[in-house]
């Protein structure tokens, strides 16, 4: 397989070079923090990480695929830093028993370690009016599961599923917070923290619209841009003038106040908000956006909300290029371990794609070439 090909001036196969992007001291810090190698004599945290990264990079759908693939030769096993190709039963036990949080911590540590490089190579187009502000996008993606196999992931009466609640850092162009829950958990309840440092911008879809959250963010001097729910009651206080020679996709810009019972009960009815109606030519639809910023250009508000597509693209790339829809274990611990190791693989591949390719390379094409 081309993935194992040795390149000039380097005796390591390509897959080992990718794995070596994980500094040993960071991995050891995570292992020590969760004591994830305690009572383990053979299949340690590093072995599980290497085996599952191999599975992700080769899109293995079963434990047997991983075991047979790694065991292709004694030389390859040594190249990966393993003593032997892990047996299916050994990997299964590790998936069940080793705390998935060790891989969550590893992902966050790697994100911090490579943060400056990732930011400098993101090639994201800057929105001038918010150039130096932190922009976070929140969204979720649901993965269907068989309830008889994944009985912990209840969704509906005869259906199982999990939801990957994701917070996307626009500067990094990667998730900086991920929470995996049962699919039945509402989007607005997907994270524990709802407020951020002053002037942070939060972009969300209308599924996250909640009066208590909105009030908390306004008190914390956070700025939100989201879609207004169809059932939200409001009155127009002032219609703002639109430019004649630019931004023709902006249909309306006005200052409003909320008039519903819940808004009045929360004290939100006394506050001014901004409603901007935008025409989305790609989807041939009108978007009604709401924000608590009254100073930005209407085009800035529209451009910010459009950035939500970045997280949608991420979900699509993750599911197409890595293994997060077919699971090699059925326990909650096994599933969460696999998802966070997939995120680690995504981070390493994205790092390579940004640093080693010329121009703006397509992520999927880059991953396929590595395979």
């Amino acid at each position: 397989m081309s993935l194992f090909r040795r390149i000039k001036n380097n005796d390591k196969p390509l897959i080992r070079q990718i794995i070596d992007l994980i500094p040993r001291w960071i991995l050891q810090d995570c292992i020590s923090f969760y004591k994830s190698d305690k009572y383990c004599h053979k299949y340690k945290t590093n072995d599980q990480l290497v085996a599952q990264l191999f599975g992700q990079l080769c899109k293995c759908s079963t434990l047997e695929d991983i075991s047979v693939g790694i065991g292709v030769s004694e030389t390859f096993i040594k190249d990966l830093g393993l003593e032997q190709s892990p047996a299916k039963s050994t990997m299964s036990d590790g998936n069940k028993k080793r705390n998935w949080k060790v891989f969550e911590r590893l992902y966050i540590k790697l994100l911090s370690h490579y943060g400056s490089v990732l930011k400098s190579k993101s090639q994201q187009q800057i929105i001038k009016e918010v150039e130096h502000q932190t922009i976070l996008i929140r969204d979720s993606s649901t993965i269907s599961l068989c309830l008889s196999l994944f009985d912990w992931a209840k969704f509906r009466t005869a259906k199982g599923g999990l939801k990957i609640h994701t917070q996307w850092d626009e500067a990094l162009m990667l998730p900086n917070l991920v929470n995996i829950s049962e699919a039945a958990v509402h989007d607005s309840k997907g994270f524990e923290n709802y407020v951020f440092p002053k002037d942070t911008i939060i972009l969300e879809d209308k599924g996250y619209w909640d009066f208590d959250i909105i009030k908390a963010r306004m008190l914390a001097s956070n700025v939100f841009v989201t879609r207004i729910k169809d059932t939200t009651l409001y009155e127009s206080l002032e219609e703002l003038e639109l430019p004649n020679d630019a931004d023709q996709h902006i249909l309306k810009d006005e200052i409003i106040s909320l008039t519903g019972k819940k808004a009045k009960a929360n004290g939100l009815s006394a506050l001014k908000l901004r409603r901007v109606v935008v025409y989305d030519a790609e989807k041939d639809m009108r978007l009604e956006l709401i924000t608590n910023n009254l100073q930005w250009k209407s085009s800035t508000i529209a451009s910010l909300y459009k950035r939500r597509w970045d997280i949608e693209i991420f979900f699509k790339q993750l599911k197409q290029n890595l293994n997060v829809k077919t699971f090699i274990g059925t326990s909650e611990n096994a599933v969460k371990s696999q998802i966070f190791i997939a995120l680690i693989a995504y981070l390493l591949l994205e790092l390579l794609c940004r640093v080693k390719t010329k121009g703006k390379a397509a992520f999927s094409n880059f991953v396929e070439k590595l395979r």
Side-chain angles (χ1 to χ4, degrees):
M1 296 173 69
S2 61
L3 186 62
F4 310 142
R5 185 183 61 200
R6 300 177 190 278
I7 63 173
K8 286 183 178 180
N9 304 321
N10 197 322
D11 197 40
K12 297 179 182 178
L14 183 55
I15 186 172
R16 178 59 189 271
Q17 294 177 58
I18 295 172
I19 292 170
D20 282 349
L21 291 172
I22 303 173
R24 296 297 301 179
W25 66 269
I26 291 181
L27 177 58
Q28 193 55 51
D29 168 83
C30 299
I31 293 170
S32 299
F33 188 86
Y34 284 105
K35 297 180 174 58
S36 58
D37 280 347
K38 193 174 182 180
Y39 307 122
C40 294
H41 302 292
K42 290 186 178 180
Y43 192 60
K44 297 190 176 183
T45 305
N46 177 71
D47 301 329
Q48 184 176 354
L49 177 64
V50 170
Q52 287 217 32
L53 281 175
F54 172 86
Q56 289 293 338
L57 295 171
C58 295
K59 292 198 84 171
C60 299
S61 56
T62 67
L63 292 173
E64 184 174 9
D65 289 343
I66 296 174
S67 181
V68 172
I70 291 176
V72 67
S73 75
E74 290 296 325
T75 302
F76 183 60
I77 293 172
K78 291 179 180 178
D79 281 338
L80 291 181
L82 302 176
E83 294 183 3
Q84 60 185 12
S85 179
K88 290 192 297 181
S89 58
T90 304
M91 288 190 284
S92 180
D93 288 343
N95 288 340
K96 289 178 185 177
K97 297 175 182 178
R98 181 168 286 113
N99 191 343
W100 61 270
K101 285 183 174 292
V102 68
F103 302 114
E104 177 190 43
R105 183 178 176 86
L106 178 58
Y107 173 77
I108 297 300
K109 288 279 187 181
L110 287 172
L111 198 65
S112 175
H113 181 71
Y114 288 115
S116 59
V117 178
L118 290 165
K119 287 179 181 178
S120 67
K121 299 289 185 177
S122 71
Q123 297 184 336
Q124 178 64 285
Q125 189 174 359
I126 295 171
I127 302 174
K128 287 293 184 182
E129 205 165 5
V130 292
E131 184 174 356
H132 301 295
Q133 290 183 241
T134 300
I135 302 173
L136 302 175
I137 307 172
R138 284 191 163 185
D139 204 349
S140 69
S141 182
T142 301
I143 296 173
S144 297
L145 298 172
C146 176
L147 188 58
S148 61
L149 293 175
F150 302 85
D151 55 0
W152 54 270
K154 295 180 180 178
F155 185 20
R156 299 192 178 102
T157 305
K159 189 177 181 181
L162 62 83
K163 189 174 284 188
I164 306 176
H165 302 272
T166 304
Q167 179 175 285
W168 180 266
D169 187 312
E170 188 67 2
L172 291 168
M173 291 293 288
L174 282 166
N176 67 352
L177 183 63
V178 174
N179 180 39
I180 303 166
S181 73
E182 298 175 11
V185 175
H186 194 271
D187 287 351
S188 63
K189 309 296 181 185
F191 296 100
E192 292 182 358
N193 63 312
Y194 300 112
V195 297
F196 307 89
K198 184 180 178 181
D199 295 329
T200 301
I201 301 170
I202 306 104
L203 313 178
E204 294 167 324
D205 202 2
K206 58 185 176 182
Y208 290 84
W209 180 259
D210 181 278
F211 289 118
D212 292 331
I213 295 174
I214 294 303
K215 181 180 180 181
R217 287 179 178 168
M218 292 182 75
L219 290 173
S221 297
N222 297 158
V223 183
F224 62 84
V225 177
T226 184
R227 285 175 65 187
I228 190 170
K229 282 188 175 180
D230 298 335
T231 56
T232 303
L233 300 176
Y234 65 89
E235 67 174 346
S236 178
L237 302 178
E238 178 188 358
E239 188 163 344
L240 304 177
E241 189 174 343
L242 299 176
N244 293 323
D245 55 349
D247 306 326
Q248 297 301 305
H249 62 299
I250 308 295
L251 306 180
K252 195 164 191 175
D253 187 2
E254 61 181 348
I255 305 298
I256 66 170
S257 64
L258 303 177
T259 58
K261 290 182 179 179
K262 288 185 178 179
K264 289 179 179 179
N266 281 2
L268 290 175
S269 59
L271 302 174
K272 292 181 179 180
L273 297 171
R274 184 110 166 260
R275 176 177 173 266
V276 176
V277 183
V278 182
Y279 175 67
D280 185 339
E282 292 181 10
K283 293 193 173 184
D284 189 24
M285 63 182 294
R286 286 160 42 106
L287 300 175
E288 295 186 41
L289 310 181
I290 188 168
T291 178
N292 58 329
N293 185 285
L294 308 182
Q295 286 76 43
W296 288 336
K297 295 177 183 178
S298 55
S299 58
T300 296
I301 296 168
S303 296
L304 278 169
Y305 187 77
K306 193 174 182 180
R307 289 290 169 91
R308 280 195 64 258
W309 297 121
D310 291 340
I311 197 170
E312 297 286 352
I313 292 170
F314 160 73
F315 286 135
K316 183 178 180 180
Q317 290 178 342
L318 182 69
K319 291 178 179 180
Q320 285 181 345
N321 297 285
L322 295 166
N323 195 7
V324 294
K325 293 192 293 184
T326 303
F327 293 97
I328 56 177
T330 58
S331 68
E332 182 176 2
N333 195 76
V335 168
K336 289 184 176 181
S337 294
Q338 182 173 330
I339 291 174
F340 276 104
I341 291 175
L343 287 170
I344 291 168
Y346 187 97
L347 188 159
L348 298 177
L349 292 169
E350 182 67 22
L351 176 67
L352 281 171
C353 186
R354 293 185 198 181
V355 172
K356 293 297 184 181
T357 58
K358 295 180 180 180
K360 195 170 184 179
F363 180 81
S364 296
N365 290 343
F366 177 74
V367 174
E368 191 59 35
K369 286 178 180 178
L370 285 182
R371 288 209 170 97

